[in-house]
Amino acid sequence: MKCFWQQRHPNLRRTGGAIALATVLAIGGLALKPASLLNAGVSESPTGNQQAKSQATATARSKHRDQQTRQIRPENFDLQRFPVTNQTESHWRNILWTAAVVEPQESFVADSLSQILSLMTRQGLSDSQMRTIDMAVKVGTQLYLVDRSLYAGVKQQFIQAVEQSSDAEWVAVSLSGVAKFGLSNNDLQSLIGRVKQRFPRWSSNVYLHTTLQDIQASLQSPDTPPLADLLNWTIAPKQLHAYAICRSDRDVLCRLILKDRNGEFIQQGGQLWSVPLLLRSIHSLNWNFVRGQTPQGVYRIEGSVPQPDDEFFRAYGQFSLVNLYVPFEPGAKQFLPGRAGRFDGSLTDYLELLPPSWRNHWAMQQTFWAGKIGRGLFRIHGTGDSPDFFSRKEKNPDSFNWNPTIGCLSALELYNEQGQLLEADMPKILRAFEMVGGKNYTGYLVVVDVPGDAKTPIALRDIEAIVLPEKTAANRQNKAKSQKPGKSVKPAKSSKSTNQPISKAKLTSAKPTTALVVQLNAGTTRSNSTPMPVNAPEPESAATTLSPIPIAY
């Protein structure tokens, strides 16, 4: 599941030191050691190794989940035994993460969480205590949304923090939380008014500014600009452009599509190249907080990074990760076109990366402000965790096999009971990026939420109508010719292909290229045309359905 934990934070009082480092790495940070032999690269078929396979067996997965569940015991949440002090930070980080994974329906968990959150109004807290409370705020948001009755104390503590806490970040995250908790408009506006009164310079605080802007946008429900303007726009010539097109409900899968360095959308098997991704944060936290949802907006793509280590197989799976940067994040070789180094410009500089019709759309500023806040190390990656490791996955069965993250973009990676790889989308993504952008590919990723049926992914045919108008027109013409008066036309049966070549979007030059066929450890090959999940309503799609796997880990 885990994305890269939190790497940088502008507020130094919360920067974890040596005490937290081991825990950070264990729950999803980047290993501070050379990459192991597990790195699959982008040019070879994955073979894995014995250690990775041993972690992916049904027995190991079941044990891994049981270890989490067994920690949900009253003594582990006892604040008399484990008061919130510098010495208990590692205990609370571990046990709160366990609560996020298991989502326990236990009153002793709710009581302890409420007591920890009550500390948001206390003065003179140490950095270590603040980090524990930070984690409790994130898990509290998640658990309240799971069970509003059992975790009612979380809502009350958030309202109290909005009213009394002197910490702007806690006020912002609490206000963001209660806005999700079904507070009436009048009550919400009253709280907003008191926040502005208590923090006269709220607009200069990045947490308060972004939270209040978000709430205002949600109340106004502004129109989304034309998606065609965004997809047909070129941020920088001769670089690849990728797009993750999502719904506002991030339990619904997003679609990743790709445009080559000539501005042509990649096709495969007669349809638009597309890979499903999950962009949901396990904490249901807003994008403008560490460990929150994947922000919308522009990311810089700069190659891939090796899978860190066998030790972190569960966090990232066995394949390399696509390297993404947000504005202000160190390490980018060239965020702005023609300007070396990371982005250190103004909001105006950032907005110029977008087509004019999207520059006033608040949501597309999210990566800019996320970088200001200090978020970073976003990646596209797989996962070695079992699909049933995390709770509440049944909320959307169509995305069950994809695991949540704490900010990254999650790709499918499934293993059988013997620990052998069954399905994996990272090789397809990595090889496609290398094919269109070269070995050291660079370019841009745009993440965008689009309106529509909130419970279903955007239909591939709807995207094709925008980016492949010639194909859409031809399909309509062929359909009209095939219909006869008084007779209905039955849809053609889709054919399952295991070796579909990728081609450029121009239908007149559909020269087949090297097929991106994934050789699986189980001795099978996976279709290049990765579909959305089995139950997704895609009647016109000729995509291959996913093979079911036993969820017995």
Side-chain angles (χ1 to χ4, degrees):
M1 162 275 164
K2 304 94 177 168
C3 174
F4 289 64
W5 186 71
Q6 179 52 17
Q7 326 68 345
R8 302 180 292 116
H9 201 294
N11 196 337
L12 294 180
R13 63 172 200 192
R14 298 186 192 185
T15 301
I19 293 176
L21 179 59
T23 305
V24 168
L25 296 178
I27 66 171
L30 179 61
L32 301 179
K33 60 179 90 172
S36 74
L37 295 177
L38 195 55
N39 172 26
V42 295
S43 58
E44 297 179 3
S45 299
T47 57
N49 62 27
Q50 195 57 43
Q51 186 172 350
K53 288 180 184 178
S54 68
Q55 294 183 67
T57 62
T59 301
R61 289 174 182 274
S62 179
K63 181 179 179 181
H64 188 210
R65 172 70 187 196
D66 288 346
Q67 287 171 341
Q68 302 296 315
T69 305
R70 285 198 301 269
Q71 291 192 84
I72 307 297
R73 303 194 304 268
E75 57 267 31
N76 283 336
F77 290 84
D78 187 346
L79 282 158
Q80 295 295 321
R81 184 178 180 184
F82 298 105
V84 178
T85 64
N86 296 355
Q87 290 71 34
T88 61
E89 180 183 355
S90 60
H91 167 81
W92 283 112
R93 291 197 65 81
N94 172 64
I95 210 66
L96 287 169
W97 171 250
T98 296
V101 170
V102 177
E103 296 187 346
Q105 306 297 290
E106 303 286 354
S107 59
F108 62 83
V109 177
D111 292 342
S112 295
L113 194 55
S114 183
Q115 290 181 60
I116 295 173
L117 293 175
S118 71
L119 299 176
M120 286 190 287
T121 59
R122 183 176 294 182
Q123 301 294 319
L125 296 167
S126 69
D127 292 353
S128 176
Q129 289 172 308
M130 287 181 168
R131 288 192 292 269
T132 297
I133 298 167
D134 282 342
M135 185 66 173
V137 168
K138 295 165 175 58
V139 178
T141 301
Q142 174 186 351
L143 295 184
Y144 179 82
L145 292 172
V146 171
D147 190 330
R148 300 187 182 206
S149 175
L150 178 62
Y151 289 96
V154 170
K155 178 179 178 180
Q156 296 309 312
Q157 294 302 336
F158 277 12
I159 293 174
Q160 184 173 320
V162 171
E163 301 256 19
Q164 299 179 23
S165 176
S166 60
D167 184 278
E169 182 180 350
W170 286 341
V171 170
V173 73
S174 298
L175 184 61
S176 176
V178 297
K180 295 174 183 285
F181 296 168
L183 212 60
S184 72
N185 256 4
N186 287 340
D187 289 342
L188 184 58
Q189 292 293 358
S190 179
L191 281 179
I192 289 172
R194 290 200 285 280
V195 168
K196 290 182 176 180
Q197 206 170 37
R198 293 205 306 117
F199 295 88
R201 301 184 62 191
W202 62 269
S203 61
S204 63
N205 180 279
V206 68
Y207 293 107
L208 292 175
H209 171 74
T210 54
T211 296
L212 293 174
Q213 280 282 98
D214 251 17
I215 294 173
Q216 190 65 31
S218 67
L219 294 175
Q220 292 178 341
S221 300
D223 292 335
T224 303
L227 183 59
D229 292 356
L230 191 64
L231 298 182
N232 292 323
W233 177 259
T234 298
I235 297 175
K238 301 302 179 183
Q239 296 192 43
L240 67 84
H241 289 62
Y243 302 86
I245 306 174
C246 306
R247 298 296 191 195
S248 57
D249 182 352
R250 292 292 180 83
D251 280 305
V252 178
L253 290 170
C254 305
R255 287 192 185 275
L256 179 69
I257 60 175
L258 180 63
K259 194 161 61 175
D260 71 10
R261 289 185 287 184
N262 294 319
E264 298 177 350
F265 279 92
I266 300 302
Q267 292 186 65
Q268 181 179 25
Q271 65 180 16
L272 198 64
W273 182 93
S274 173
V275 174
L277 296 173
L278 187 69
L279 273 63
R280 177 173 79 85
S281 164
I282 188 175
H283 299 310
S284 301
L285 199 67
N286 260 25
W287 61 270
N288 55 332
F289 302 103
V290 173
R291 302 167 72 103
Q293 303 280 47
T294 310
Q296 296 181 66
V298 179
Y299 296 77
R300 176 65 172 168
I301 300 173
E302 291 188 355
S304 62
V305 292
Q307 195 276 1
D309 194 280
D310 288 352
E311 183 180 354
F312 299 103
F313 165 75
R314 294 194 190 281
Y316 310 113
Q318 63 171 288
F319 303 100
S320 295
L321 301 79
V322 175
N323 198 18
L324 306 176
Y325 290 94
V326 293
F328 308 105
E329 183 179 2
K333 295 176 182 177
Q334 186 188 86
F335 194 101
L336 290 175
R339 192 182 305 179
R342 73 176 188 178
F343 179 99
D344 279 316
S346 65
L347 179 59
T348 300
D349 294 328
Y350 170 83
L351 292 176
E352 288 179 355
L353 300 174
L354 299 167
S357 59
W358 283 82
R359 291 174 187 170
N360 291 324
H361 188 60
W362 163 247
M364 293 306 288
Q365 297 184 26
Q366 289 180 6
T367 53
F368 176 87
W369 295 108
K372 276 274 192 185
I373 285 166
R375 297 194 71 181
L377 292 179
F378 293 93
R379 302 287 185 263
I380 305 174
H381 65 78
T383 175
D385 280 316
S386 169
D388 65 349
F389 178 68
F390 299 97
S391 298
R392 201 170 50 94
K393 298 289 289 297
E394 68 281 354
K395 182 178 179 182
N396 191 326
D398 291 338
S399 60
F400 184 90
N401 287 336
W402 285 257
N403 279 329
T405 69
I406 49 177
C408 286
L409 297 79
S410 175
L412 183 72
E413 190 167 330
L414 300 176
Y415 294 81
N416 66 12
E417 293 189 357
Q418 290 73 43
Q420 296 171 313
L421 185 66
L422 288 176
E423 303 269 357
D425 277 340
M426 281 311 300
K428 176 179 180 179
I429 295 170
L430 292 165
R431 293 177 187 178
F433 279 22
E434 181 178 325
M435 187 197 79
V436 303
K439 186 171 180 60
N440 299 313
Y441 54 84
T442 59
Y444 294 91
L445 167 72
V446 178
V447 174
V448 59
D449 292 352
V450 296
D453 183 350
K455 297 301 179 185
T456 60
I458 184 170
L460 193 60
R461 61 181 177 274
D462 291 340
I463 306 175
E464 288 183 334
I466 296 171
V467 302
L468 303 176
E470 302 95 338
K471 177 185 174 184
T472 304
N475 287 344
R476 284 199 299 265
Q477 189 176 24
N478 291 336
K479 183 176 180 180
K481 288 180 179 179
S482 65
Q483 287 181 319
K484 295 181 179 179
K487 293 184 178 181
S488 61
V489 178
K490 295 181 180 180
K493 294 182 179 180
S494 61
S495 59
K496 296 183 179 181
S497 171
T498 60
N499 190 14
Q500 296 287 352
I502 291 181
S503 65
K504 302 293 179 63
K506 286 188 176 179
L507 301 179
T508 56
S509 59
K511 295 180 180 179
T513 60
T514 303
L516 305 187
V517 181
V518 181
Q519 301 294 329
L520 302 183
N521 289 349
T524 62
T525 58
R526 177 177 178 191
S527 169
N528 294 330
S529 184
T530 305
M532 298 304 282
V534 174
N535 297 326
E538 282 290 323
E540 279 120 357
S541 173
T544 306
T545 57
L546 295 176
S547 301
I549 66 164
I551 306 300
Y553 302 111

